Amino acid sequence: MVVYTWDFSVIFTYKEAILNGTLITLELTFFSILLGSVIGMMICLMKLSKNPLLKYPAIAFIEVFQDLPLLILLIWLFYALPPIFGINISAFSTALVGLSLNLGAFSAEIFRAGIISVPKGQTESSVALGLTKYQTMKDIILPQAKKMIIPPLTGRYIETIKLTSLASIIAVDELLHSGQNLISVSYRPLEVYTIIAFLYLVIIIPLTSVLKKLEKSR
Amino acid sequence: MKNNYAVLVISVIAIILALFALFRAPTGVAPIEKSTFDNILEKDEITVCYMTWPPSVIKAPNTGKLSGFIIDIFEEVAKDANLKVKYTESTWGGFPADLNTGKCDAAVAGIYPTIGRSTSVSFTRPFFYAGNGGVVKAGETRFKTVEDLNKEGVKIAVIQGEYGHIYSQKYLPKATLVVLEKGSDNTAPLVAVSSGQADAGLIMSDVVSEYVKLHPEVKDLFSDQPYSTTPIVWATRQNDQELLNFLNNGIDYLKSVGFLDATAKKYSPVGWYGLKQEYVVLS
């Protein structure tokens, strides 16, 4: 039997650090989901296009960013981009770009699956009624496609929250990295990791229930 | 279907080839005409990567403010040259890449130089020696010395690339190593012992000393007698000889006026050793 002396008082002493890490995790999640969804929709429309100049780069984008492990992508973006392009972007921006590219690749396929699930007759009828392509997509296709899109997309969004912890590898001060810094000062690793796990649940469980309600109301 | 697959394969290959071409092409960075040190003097600012390792480099969890004797010593070197220090956080695994990609001019922490590492970055001369220690379970009676750990079935937790890892590979070959990733959590080998995942955990003495104060389930195997010491240095890019000279001169000067040891003592680091000032009688 392993005996460990637990002491959670350190969490209260350094609550600002934990709070700050949580806020950065939320910020990173929010902007990654926003940017990733926009990228996903763009790539989806490109892949659905009949123009090969749009279609094939979209296929390649999805293949590359779905297959690359996010951890490797983050490290590559952070360390390999500066010598290649002569640009230096912050660790937070690197994490945001990496998470968005990853989400974009997966959400593009989710959007596409939803759109192609709508019977072709709907598009043909819209054209017959004189609707433009934009109007058809906005008013006819997407409202029906969202039934197929929302469940897997919410899964990806929740996955994105969890994936933000990988940003600690490039020293983004998100929840895990803040916690690791706190451990180096407090020497209380198990207490800190327990609180980090608890906070992820606090973030994810309410969000999951909101998304489930949204799913039921569709 | 076959056509689609062919196009997909060609597109992926094209992306991979483009990436290789980018790597092979001349970089987009403008050719460096001035040395790093010239640029530092021109801007009156030096960009420094740091990695936390209390009490040498401490990042206050609530405020993010940096302190620690290695920070104080570097600040003194910069102050004497009228340089402003701009800090950027790095990781133990990532600081060579941060140096070589220009994210910072120098890496400042309790860095342990190895021959392998010196093929990618340059190191200053040592300005401290840090003791290496370890913990075992509180009731453990099998181990008295570090050699006692070299037995079949003994599990030793170490951090990847750390001195304890290198030492164990070389001198404790019979033991089973539990190699943990080098994140920012310097307690990982010790918590592995606390949680029963390993029989012993090796890490620097200062971490051991602080950890055992708070965790009665483990004990310091070496007490105040580290099983070895390692030199502590700072790092620069490989070709930045002027900056390296500057930092070496700074270290020599601060050692000669007693600043290094006096600053370290303020933080009471356990298991850190200053450099002995040696005098030779010329006759």
Side-chain angles (χ1 to χ4, degrees), chain A residues 2 56 59 173 177 187-188, chain B residues 7-8 59 89 194 214-215:
Chain A
V2 177
Y56 296 123
I59 293 171
D173 246 343
H177 190 72
Y187 298 92
R188 285 281 169 200
Chain B
V7 170
L8 177 62
K59 182 181 172 189
E89 186 167 4
S194 287
L214 300 169
H215 296 271

Side-chain angles (χ1 to χ4, degrees), chain A residues 191-204:
Chain A
E191 290 84 342
V192 173
Y193 284 129
T194 304
I195 290 299
I196 289 174
F198 175 72
L199 284 173
Y200 271 111
L201 292 178
V202 166
I203 295 168
I204 291 170

Side-chain angles (χ1 to χ4, degrees), chain B residues 119-180:
Chain B
T119 60
S120 66
V121 293
S122 289
F123 295 116
T124 62
R125 65 181 54 120
F127 54 97
F128 280 114
Y129 282 85
N132 296 296
V135 301
V136 292
K137 285 168 198 153
E140 184 62 76
T141 53
R142 288 176 293 167
F143 314 120
K144 298 271 184 274
T145 65
V146 71
E147 289 80 17
D148 293 340
L149 298 173
N150 191 26
K151 285 182 187 138
E152 302 279 352
V154 173
K155 285 200 278 185
I156 304 174
V158 292
I159 292 182
Q160 192 174 40
E162 265 280 313
Y163 181 83
H165 183 205
I166 297 165
Y167 181 91
S168 306
Q169 281 178 319
K170 200 163 182 177
Y171 299 109
L172 309 173
K174 288 182 187 165
T176 305
L177 298 187
V178 180
V179 182
L180 303 162

Side-chain angles (χ1 to χ4, degrees), chain A residues 76-142:
Chain A
W76 191 88
L77 288 172
F78 194 59
Y79 294 117
L81 278 189
I84 294 173
F85 296 110
I87 53 164
N88 251 334
I89 60 171
S90 70
F92 182 88
S93 305
T94 305
L96 175 60
V97 170
L99 284 160
S100 303
L101 290 173
N102 180 272
L103 176 63
F106 283 101
S107 61
E109 285 297 68
I110 293 169
F111 288 134
R112 194 181 69 88
I115 289 170
I116 61 173
S117 72
V118 179
K120 267 193 176 175
Q122 301 279 332
T123 312
E124 288 160 4
S125 308
S126 307
V127 172
L129 287 170
L131 268 65
T132 62
K133 272 187 180 176
Y134 173 73
Q135 285 172 322
T136 305
M137 184 57 78
K138 185 171 81 72
D139 299 328
I140 309 294
I141 307 296
L142 285 182

Side-chain angles (χ1 to χ4, degrees), chain B residues 203-221:
Chain B
I203 198 75
M204 283 166 68
S205 304
D206 53 3
V207 182
V208 170
S209 166
E210 291 301 318
Y211 191 85
V212 294
K213 281 182 203 164
L214 300 169
H215 296 271
E217 72 278 4
V218 295
K219 65 176 181 184
D220 187 344
L221 181 58

